[in-house]
Amino acid sequence: RERAREVLEAAERRNTSRLGVEAMDLLSAYGIPTPAGEIVDSPGDAEAVAERLADGEGVVMKIVSPDILHKSDIGGVEVGVQPSEVADTYEDLVVRARNYQSDAKILGVQVQEMLDMDGATETIAGMNRDPQFGPLMLFGLGGIFVEVLEDTTVRVAPVSEPEAQNMVDDIESAPLLRGARGREAVDEAGIVETIQRLSQLVTDFPAILELDINPLVATPDGVSAVDVRLTID
Ligand code: ADP
Ligand code: MG
């Protein structure tokens, strides 16, 4: 909880109400698994981190800016970047951000471990404060499917374990998570635990007005919060 408080206070000092992947520590402070990664502010540092994190598949690089909400919409996410391409990609990401908004505040670039997406399902876990009902936890199918299929469900926070489990049961795509059509079942217990931990986080910090983990990548081996964005009071 102390570490989470530090992240939020740092944001307050920077006078920003919108946070992105720079708030990843908030999630790990509450035991939500995230890919290994670091935010750097130079091509050289990006290369050093990439050499440490890259396996054969390379790394993922993302622009980090409070002015850019949907990073891939502006070409701000590159997956499978080999260490030798990292420095050039750093410059590309910054140029694209500047083209999108010339005065965008750029905090740097996140260099992240590349997850094996074979057999993975992108889900979304989030929270929105409703004027009437208070904090509402949301779970559903994530990635590009969120808008298209709208397969999500909500519960008032805090949610108990049975309630979190019930949220997973509730979505239309639950069979997809459980290994329909020869797919391998994903770590459903990991999803349930993540919903509960997120519920605890937003209960402990009323200053968090809304928060989305999209995607929360679920694989047979576990879950991982690959992207986060939140608004604070
Ligand atoms: P945004 O939502 O701002 O466009 P994301 O960080 O969610 O940015 O990245 C967009 C997509 O890129 C994700 O939905 C996922 O499919 C893919 N992706 C992002 N990070 C990783 C990663 N570490 N490993 C594998 N795929 C990733
Ligand atoms: Mg995302």
Side-chain angles (χ1 to χ4, degrees):
R1 169 143 17 164
E2 221 18 70
R3 208 145 66 82
R5 192 180 305 283
E6 282 165 25
V7 175
L8 291 173
E9 281 171 0
E12 240 162 64
R13 279 196 299 276
R14 284 207 322 272
N15 242 323
T16 42
S17 58
R18 295 193 157 282
L19 300 186
V21 288
E22 69 273 23
M24 217 63 137
D25 286 351
L26 204 57
L27 303 180
S28 26
Y30 271 69
I32 297 171
T34 60
E38 247 179 77
I39 295 169
V40 294
D41 58 9
S42 77
D45 288 349
E47 214 164 60
V49 175
E51 261 150 28
R52 191 157 50 73
L53 294 182
D55 51 15
E57 306 298 313
V59 292
V60 180
M61 295 176 69
K62 307 181 189 184
I63 195 77
V64 184
S65 163
D67 297 314
I68 297 168
L69 290 183
H70 300 280
K71 299 177 288 298
S72 34
D73 286 359
I74 65 128
V77 177
E78 286 287 343
V79 300
V81 185
Q82 295 301 330
S84 61
E85 310 161 332
V86 162
D88 284 347
T89 304
Y90 185 104
E91 309 282 11
D92 290 345
L93 292 174
V94 172
V95 167
R96 288 174 201 158
R98 289 262 171 262
N99 285 342
Y100 167 70
Q101 187 183 321
S102 55
D103 65 346
K105 180 167 172 43
I106 296 172
L107 300 176
V109 166
Q110 186 190 38
V111 180
Q112 198 177 55
E113 165 196 8
M114 174 97 177
L115 296 183
D116 179 6
M117 300 296 278
D118 271 355
T121 302
E122 297 196 22
T123 67
I124 180 172
M127 183 279 301
N128 229 307
R129 286 190 198 273
D130 182 272
Q132 201 176 345
F133 299 104
L136 291 181
M137 300 303 298
L138 170 139
F139 174 72
L141 214 58
I144 52 170
F145 299 119
V146 176
E147 287 94 24
V148 181
L149 299 179
E150 293 187 348
D151 188 10
T152 55
T153 185
V154 294
R155 296 287 184 287
V156 177
V159 294
S160 64
E161 185 184 339
E163 282 171 323
Q165 177 65 57
N166 195 254
M167 291 179 78
V168 181
D169 297 339
D170 218 30
I171 64 167
E172 307 263 350
S173 323
L176 199 73
L177 301 172
R178 293 173 178 152
R181 311 218 165 207
R183 294 165 55 92
E184 217 181 319
V186 304
D187 177 19
E188 199 173 322
I191 295 176
V192 171
E193 195 166 327
T194 298
I195 295 172
Q196 277 183 274
R197 288 174 186 266
L198 195 57
S199 162
Q200 189 63 56
L201 169 66
V202 301
T203 304
D204 290 348
F205 295 97
I208 301 175
L209 299 180
E210 54 181 351
L211 186 155
D212 272 319
I213 301 174
N214 186 18
L216 174 71
V217 171
T219 73
D221 302 322
V223 298
S224 188
V226 156
D227 185 25
V228 65
R229 83 177 123 252
L230 61 143
T231 311
I232 53 178
D233 192 0

